[in-house]
Amino acid sequence: MRNDAPLSEAGLSVIASGMKIVGDIESTGVVKIEGTVEGAVRGARQLLLGRQGTIHGDIRAHEVIIGGTVVGTIVAEERVEIQGTSSVQGDIHTKSIVVLEGGVINGAVRMGETAAQDAPELREAPEAPVRAGLALSQ
């Protein structure tokens, strides 16, 4: 199979409902989360968090659309959309924001041309504990 897409263009990554990721996610494309992420999400062109999705960690992306629950800081270079089904427990730094009726934000919102650049560095996710019998080595 031949892939004619440019190397600089990343695809779509999906964390499906019922799936849980423990650790950080780094992507340059679109990330859609319907499940649970316990860790930071960084670098995405667009982050889409579905109604049943949950992120316990910080987010840094170009554009962020939240329909589920976030516990952590959101930093978006361009835009954040808080849908009516969403809950954000943390600060938001972005150039522009849309909050639909019913959306909840418990944290500070900083807006403007340099809000994302002025945001503090996002925290690293804590190391996940290694459970006996599950450690892999090469």
Side-chain angles (χ1 to χ4, degrees):
M1 181 184 292
R2 189 174 156 180
N3 184 0
D4 291 328
L7 292 176
S8 63
E9 183 179 319
L12 169 68
S13 300
V14 178
I15 309 301
S17 179
M19 185 175 196
K20 179 178 180 178
I21 301 291
V22 178
D24 295 349
I25 296 174
E26 293 191 29
S27 174
T28 57
V30 176
V31 177
K32 183 174 183 179
I33 299 172
E34 295 287 345
T36 300
V37 173
E38 292 184 6
V41 181
R42 293 189 201 93
R45 178 171 32 96
Q46 185 178 57
L47 173 79
L48 306 167
L49 181 64
R51 292 177 186 200
Q52 302 303 314
T54 303
I55 298 174
H56 288 267
D58 296 337
I59 299 168
R60 181 178 285 272
H62 189 72
E63 179 181 25
V64 178
I65 299 172
I66 304 296
T69 301
V70 174
V71 178
T73 300
I74 299 173
V75 179
E77 280 80 21
E78 285 298 318
R79 176 178 181 271
V80 172
E81 180 177 316
I82 305 299
Q83 297 179 342
T85 56
S86 65
S87 170
V88 176
Q89 308 296 319
D91 296 345
I92 298 174
H93 303 262
T94 186
K95 185 187 292 186
S96 138
I97 189 168
V98 174
V99 181
L100 299 177
E101 184 176 355
V104 175
I105 301 170
N106 286 313
V109 176
R110 297 195 184 2
M111 293 176 56
E113 292 295 321
T114 62
Q117 291 83 16
D118 296 341
E121 285 300 311
L122 300 182
R123 298 177 296 273
E124 295 291 322
E127 286 292 320
V130 176
R131 292 181 176 90
L134 296 178
L136 300 177
S137 62
Q138 292 181 322

